[in-house]
Every structure is written in structure tokens, then in C-alpha cells.
């Protein structure tokens, strides 16, 4: 009898002990292999760094964060599989997106699974259309915003009369070219688009396209290529080998550290633009930026590029919203970001548009020392 009472008392006592709070799961889906693998690893590393910093300060909502990382192999079908895995593993957040086709394939899966989805890098304007994810959020600039910056520079600063395109043949590349051509019309561009050459994301041999472009004698060739660790460095090197005199104008965000590491001085003279630079104003005077750069360099032995900053900001923006709302609910957190200002990110204080797009701030630059990734700010 006494044993029965003792067992009952122990059971009642255990029932009063609160259950241990489960870790909050932060998922990442990026290419970790293939032509964009090193870049996807950079974004993932930045996410892990910020998560560790949050955990070092006590976590979020009193709970520890853990990171689940998956490789989408730059392939939409694989991305869909990884998105379903995230749902099965009950991720509270997924930060994704190097390639727009992969992001667009994953969006409806994650939305149906009720998982908050933040796009870090992918640029297609369709991502924020609301058709597949009514609570979409993107940190990187969009094709539409980027096109305005590049078109204005080509028309107003370069005063180009003949323009050609070297375009990645997918929703990202084709979308960017369409957006640039639309901006040309807005700017009353009096010149002409003399040629368009296209290629696949996984291509590394561009000699046929470059031979054709050389004959076009354009003032500027506007280039998209998101294979920053493989295809783009090869393209830059082959561009120089072909002795093309036209100015290489890269789409916003394609000139990342991996391109400089592989192609070196072949990048000299490339014109492009971006929204984050570890060693250019205003980031050199923003405490959040300088502390992130120092922490990333300590952890990984290299300066972070824009892709790393995007991954870091994705975690920071989400964490600020979770702290403000005291919730992990997808709709609640998304509505605390979309159309709102968020303070204290690696980009400084930022503003999100109602459709979930973070408002970008650009610097146009020219590569002056590709071997050492040195840039000259043009405007």
C-alpha cells in the first residue's frame, strides 16, 4: 500500500515539472554543391553565425535555436524534396534561395506546410507576386529594382548607343533582361539592342556566344550569370581571351568573392552594382556591419560578401519580428516584417515594402584590382 502511494506521489510530482522547451528550428535550403555550392555555403555559414550569436545571448523566446541545412543542388525538383523534408522535420523558419527557379518551386510547398519562408538571394520579381506565397519576404534586391540601376548607368552615364545582352536562360536571367529593356523605354533610350545571346546555368563554355557578341561591336554587354563559382569566372576569363572591347556590365550582385578568387584580374574593368560591401561606405561606419564583418572573418577566415550579409540579415529580421510579437506564427511574424521598418541589421536600419521586399540601397562600381577584389565606387 505504501509503495502504491509512493508511486502515485512520484507520478503526480513528475506531472508538475514543466516540459523542456523544444529548440526553435531554423532551416536553410541553398546549393551546397555544384557551380553555386561555395556561394550557398557562404550564406549558410552566415546564418549559423547569427544563430550562434543569438544563442550566446540566451536564445529566442527563452529557447535555443538549431540550424538544419540542406542542399538544393540548384535544381527545382531537389528543392521541392528539401522543402518537404523541412516540413516533416517541423522547421519553424526556412531561409532559402540562390536560384529563382528553385525558390519558385519551393514556395508553394512551404506555404502549404505553414512554414515561414524568407528568400535571401533569389531575385525574380515573381517571388513576391503573392500567387504562391502570400507572406513572401525577400532580403536581396529584385530584378525590377536592379534593372533600373543598370539601365540608368548604361543610358545616362555610359551614354551607350549599342547594347547587347548575354543572358542566363531561366526566370532570373530572362526576367532581368525584360526588366532592363522596360527601363530603357522609360529612359527614352535612343540607341538599340543589337544582339542577345543566351546560355544555361550549368554552362562553362561561352566561346560561341562571345564570338557572336564580339562581332556586334556593342558599347555595353549586359550580363547575367548566377553560377558565381564556376560559370561566371569562366565567362569573365573567356571574355578577356576573346579580346572583346565592349564594356562588361554585370547584373547587380553577380560579382561576388568567388568570382574574384577564381578569375582574378580578368575581372578588371567590369562595371556592376550591389547593396553590400564590407570595405566601402556606409557599411564601414555602421556598428552592426563592422561587428558582423569582424565576427565572420574570425569564424571563417575571410571577409563576408553580399551573399553572407543577406543570410545574416534574414535571421536578424526574423528574430526582431519574433521578439516583437512573442510569436513564431508564420502570419504574425510575416506581418511584423512586411511594410515595416526593422532596426539593427547588417544593412543598418532597413525598410520593407508591403509586398515583402527589403528596400535596396545601391552602389555602382568598377573593378580596379580583380586579384585583390578592389573596387572603385562610381556613384
Amino acid at each position: 500500500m505504501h509503495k502504491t502511494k509512493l508511486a502515485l506521489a512520484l507520478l503526480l510530482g513528475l506531472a508538475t515539472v514543466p516540459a523542456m522547451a523544444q529548440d526553435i528550428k531554423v532551416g536553410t535550403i541553398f546549393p551546397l554543391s555544384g557551380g553555386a555550392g561555395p556561394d550557398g555555403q557562404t550564406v549558410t555559414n552566415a546564418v549559423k553565425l547569427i544563430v550562434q550569436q543569438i544563442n550566446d545571448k540566451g536564445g529566442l523566446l527563452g529557447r535555443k535555436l538549431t540550424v538544419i541545412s540542406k542542399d538544393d543542388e540548384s535544381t527545382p525538383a531537389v528543392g521541392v524534396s528539401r522543402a518537404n523534408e523541412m516540413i516533416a522535420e517541423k522547421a519553424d523558419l526556412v531561409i532559402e534561395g540562390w536560384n529563382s527557379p528553385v525558390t519558385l518551386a519551393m514556395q508553394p510547398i512551404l506555404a502549404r506546410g505553414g512554414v515561414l519562408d524568407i528568400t535571401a538571394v533569389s531575385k525574380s520579381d515573381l517571388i513576391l507576386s503573392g500567387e504562391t506565397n502570400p507572406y513572401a519576404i525577400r532580403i536581396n534586391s529584385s530584378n525590377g529594382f536592379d534593372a533600373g540601376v543598370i539601365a540608368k548607368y548604361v543610358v545616362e552615364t555610359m551614354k551607350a548607343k549599342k547594347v547587347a545582352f548575354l543572358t542566363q536562360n531561366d526566370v532570373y536571367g530572362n526576367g532581368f533582361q525584360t526588366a532592363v529593356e522596360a527601363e530603357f523605354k522609360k529612359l527614352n533610350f535612343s540607341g538599340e539592342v543589337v544582339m542577345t545571346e543566351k546560355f544555361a546555368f550549368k554552362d562553362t563554355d561561352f566561346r560561341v556566344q562571345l564570338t557572336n557578341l564580339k562581332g556586334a561591336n556593342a558599347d555595353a554587354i549586359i550580363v547575367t550569370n548566377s553560377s558565381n563559382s564556376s560559370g561566371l569566372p569562366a565567362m569573365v576569363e573567356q571574355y578577356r581571351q576573346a579580346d572583346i572591347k565592349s564594356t562588361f556590365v554585370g547584373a547587380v550582385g553577380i560579382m561576388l568573392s568567388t568570382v574574384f578568387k577564381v578569375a582574378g584580374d580578368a575581372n578588371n574593368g567590369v562595371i556592376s552594382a550591389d547593396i553590400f560591401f564590407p570595405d566601402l561606405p556606409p557599411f564601414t561606419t555602421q556598428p552592426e556591419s563592422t561587428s558582423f564583418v569582424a565576427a565572420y572573418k574570425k569564424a571563417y577566415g575571410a571577409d563576408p560578401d553580399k551573399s553572407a550579409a543577406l543570410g545574416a540579415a534574414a535571421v536578424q529580421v526574423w528574430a526582431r519580428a519574433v521578439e516583437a510579437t512573442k510569436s513564431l506564427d508564420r502570419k504574425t511574424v510575416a506581418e511584423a516584417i512586411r511594410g515595416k521598418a526593422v532596426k539593427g541589421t547588417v544593412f543598418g536600419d532597413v525598410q520593407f515594402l508591403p509586398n515583402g521586399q527589403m528596400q535596396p540601397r545601391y552602389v555602382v562600381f568598377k573593378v580596379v584590382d580583380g586579384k585583390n577584389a578592389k573596387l572603385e565606387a562610381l556613384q
Side-chain angles (χ1 to χ4, degrees):
M1 187 69 176
H2 292 298
K3 289 182 179 179
T4 302
K5 288 181 178 180
L6 178 60
L8 181 60
L10 288 171
L11 286 171
L12 291 172
L14 289 173
T16 63
V17 176
M20 294 294 289
Q22 293 184 341
D23 290 352
I24 297 172
K25 297 179 181 179
V26 176
T28 65
I29 306 177
F30 292 101
L32 302 177
S33 58
D39 300 295
Q41 292 167 23
T42 296
V43 189
T44 303
N45 285 341
V47 169
K48 291 178 177 178
L49 176 63
I50 301 301
V51 164
Q52 184 59 54
Q53 291 178 346
I54 292 172
N55 283 335
D56 289 344
K57 294 179 181 178
L60 198 59
L61 304 183
R63 295 161 63 183
K64 178 184 175 183
L65 308 183
T66 57
V67 178
I68 308 169
S69 299
K70 297 187 182 293
D71 181 4
D72 65 29
E73 301 175 21
S74 297
T75 304
V78 176
V80 167
S81 177
R82 301 297 179 258
N84 279 313
E85 290 171 11
M86 287 293 185
I87 294 168
E89 294 177 42
K90 301 187 183 303
D92 295 287
L93 165 72
V94 168
I95 300 171
E96 50 73 18
W98 186 267
N99 305 89
S100 292
V102 181
T103 290
L104 290 167
M106 292 190 295
Q107 267 192 323
I109 306 300
L110 294 169
R112 286 197 296 270
V115 178
L116 181 65
D117 170 15
I118 297 181
T119 300
V121 183
S122 301
K123 285 177 170 287
S124 172
D125 292 317
L126 296 173
I127 291 167
L128 299 182
S129 68
E131 294 182 7
T132 56
N133 181 5
Y135 303 115
I137 297 164
R138 175 166 49 206
I139 308 300
N140 202 7
S141 56
S142 69
N143 273 347
F145 280 110
D146 293 352
V149 173
I150 295 299
K152 183 176 181 180
Y153 186 84
V154 169
V155 173
E156 297 184 356
T157 302
M158 291 186 64
K159 301 189 184 304
K161 295 301 180 184
K162 296 170 67 177
V163 177
F165 286 91
L166 182 51
T167 298
Q168 186 169 299
N169 192 17
D170 60 17
V171 67
Y172 157 61
N174 294 327
F176 180 73
Q177 179 173 342
T178 298
V180 171
E181 291 180 309
E183 291 296 326
F184 281 166
K185 291 181 180 179
K186 293 179 185 178
L187 294 168
N188 297 315
F189 176 46
S190 59
E192 61 177 327
V193 175
V194 294
M195 182 177 290
T196 294
E197 290 287 332
K198 296 192 176 184
F199 60 92
F201 167 76
K202 294 185 178 181
D203 285 353
T204 55
D205 186 345
F206 309 95
R207 288 174 293 181
V208 172
Q209 294 95 326
L210 292 172
T211 297
N212 294 337
L213 288 165
K214 183 176 181 178
N217 293 316
D219 299 307
I221 298 176
I222 300 175
V223 179
T224 54
N225 192 326
S226 61
S227 181
N228 301 76
S229 302
S230 178
L232 181 54
M235 177 183 285
V236 172
E237 290 174 336
Q238 291 165 28
Y239 196 100
R240 299 308 176 201
Q241 291 164 3
D243 194 30
I244 297 174
K245 304 304 181 184
S246 311
T247 300
F248 185 119
V249 180
V252 172
I254 68 172
M255 300 305 297
L256 297 176
S257 58
T258 47
V259 185
F260 295 117
K261 182 178 180 180
V262 178
D265 283 340
N267 294 293
N268 290 354
V270 168
I271 303 292
S272 190
D274 219 328
I275 61 173
F276 179 86
F277 304 88
D279 53 358
L280 289 179
F283 304 102
T284 50
T285 59
Q286 291 177 175
E288 297 88 358
S289 301
T290 56
S291 63
F292 167 66
V293 170
Y296 188 95
K297 191 167 186 176
K298 181 179 179 181
Y300 302 112
D303 285 332
D305 60 16
K306 191 273 296 287
S307 61
L310 294 171
V315 182
Q316 292 173 329
V317 165
W318 166 76
R320 303 284 191 278
V322 170
E323 289 171 341
T325 61
K326 306 300 180 188
S327 173
L328 290 170
D329 175 72
R330 171 181 174 237
K331 180 174 183 290
T332 301
V333 174
E335 289 180 346
I337 298 170
R338 291 162 56 92
K340 307 295 194 304
V342 180
K343 295 184 177 181
T345 79
V346 297
F347 290 90
D349 296 342
V350 297
Q351 177 67 47
F352 282 83
L353 301 178
N355 68 349
Q357 173 67 57
M358 189 175 86
Q359 181 76 54
R361 296 187 288 262
Y362 295 93
V363 175
V364 180
F365 64 85
K366 179 170 72 174
V367 180
V368 294
D369 181 358
K371 185 176 181 180
N372 297 299
K374 298 298 182 184
L375 312 175
E376 175 188 344
L378 300 178
Q379 63 182 41

